[in-house]
Amino acid sequence: MDNRQIVIQSLPEGRLAEDNFAMRTEAAPVPSDGEVLCRTLALTVGAGQRAGLQGSASYAGAPKAGVVMGGSGVARVEASNADGIAVGDLVTCQTGWQDYSAHAAKAVQAVEPAGDPAHHLGVYGTNGLTAYFGLFELGAPQAGQTVVVSAAAGSVGHLVGQMAKISGCRTVGVTGSDEKCQRLTDELGFDAAVNHRSPDFRHQFRDACADGIGIYFDNTGGDILGAALRRMQRGGRIVCCGVVSQYDTSNPAPGPRGVPGLLINNRVRMEGFLVFDYMARYGEARAKMRGWVESGELKPMQDEFHGLEEAPRAFVDLLAGGNVGTRIIRVAK
């Protein structure tokens, strides 16, 4: 069998471009004892993968060219030499950007076949788990608080805002277009949304957070973090999830002005996290989110590209703010 692969042809200098990637075809791998052969059905791309290419994500290792682009996928088992995993089972794993991949049994996780398999990359995958643990473990929302989410129409942000609403909070989203703002309020129930590209952003943001911010869930860093810092309530909490404004460049900007003075004066706690720290509790989070999805309280959103060859374009477009919800590339049926 042929195995199409998208490889990193060159590391980006400045903004990521489609020609940083190339397609090649090799023979599909043959699984060894204790391994399974997986056929990729769908991939997800996220802004954090750009940090890996930049070398600013230490957990991803040093970036290098000439290798298959990494990434999470949902796949169907095509051959199995592992006990407990059968041909036809659906699993999630680090498929990378390719049609076929071989994995040790412990490196794949079986998922329920019902429903859209792509949900296991979004709301039940890393995006949903990141939203859940970041908000509830670091943010600790209380009813009545104002929760502000940046990149609020993104794969993590649109889930954070809805979970905050479920907790009885007032939710404000910051995103990059008026259309996205409208979708946040009309479709997902955000109380307010502000376009950070608006020439009147500062005044609109101030009005949306007139009583101050109890929790700021930061996916962007940069100027939006700076604006939130100046509106934090005493004892507020800043959840540092991502820095998307600084990923797609070879010269990340320095941190916002006012740190640590604003943190000290207002007794604000600012804390970062990695979702992998909560791996032992993934089942708990998924069960909770599944209940919300089935009740209609949580509406996972995703947008799609079709075909493995579309992955580079989907990634570049995502970094330009083109996605709403989780960005999915459908590879096979």
Side-chain angles (χ1 to χ4, degrees), residues 245-261:
S245 70
Q246 307 300 312
Y247 290 155
D248 199 19
T249 175
S250 57
N251 297 294
R257 297 175 62 183
V259 176

Side-chain angles (χ1 to χ4, degrees), residues 72-96:
S72 300
V74 61
R76 182 176 57 243
V77 175
E78 297 289 300
S80 176
N81 293 327
D83 294 337
I85 303 177
V87 171
D89 284 354
L90 289 185
V91 298
T92 55
C93 54
Q94 292 298 307
T95 57

Side-chain angles (χ1 to χ4, degrees), residues 5 11 81 83 107 110 116 123 128 139 143 156 167 180 265 289 303 329 331:
Q5 301 175 320
L11 295 176
N81 293 327
D83 294 337
D116 184 352
V123 64
V156 172
S167 302
K180 288 183 178 182
N265 291 340
M289 290 188 289
D303 58 19
I329 297 100
V331 179

Side-chain angles (χ1 to χ4, degrees), residues 124-188:
Y124 303 135
T126 302
N127 297 328
L129 295 167
T130 297
Y132 182 93
F133 288 110
L135 179 65
F136 292 110
E137 292 299 311
L138 277 68
Q142 300 295 318
Q145 287 184 309
T146 292
V147 176
V148 174
V149 186
S150 62
S155 58
V156 172
H158 85 287
L159 299 171
V160 173
Q162 293 181 80
M163 291 180 196
K165 286 295 294 181
I166 290 169
S167 302
C169 297
R170 179 176 177 273
T171 304
V172 177
V174 180
T175 187
S177 72
D178 292 340
E179 179 186 1
K180 288 183 178 182
C181 286
Q182 187 169 356
R183 294 192 69 178
L184 291 176
T185 55
D186 292 357
E187 298 179 35
L188 300 184

Side-chain angles (χ1 to χ4, degrees), residues 109-124:
Q109 182 173 34
V111 297
E112 296 178 3
D116 184 352
H119 280 339
H120 297 291
L121 303 177
V123 64
Y124 303 135

Side-chain angles (χ1 to χ4, degrees), residues 246-276:
Q246 307 300 312
Y247 290 155
D248 199 19
T249 175
S250 57
N251 297 294
R257 297 175 62 183
V259 176
L262 290 170
L263 302 179
I264 295 168
N265 291 340
N266 288 322
R267 292 73 152 175
V268 173
R269 188 183 75 201
M270 186 175 184
E271 185 175 355
F273 76 106
L274 291 176
V275 68
F276 315 116

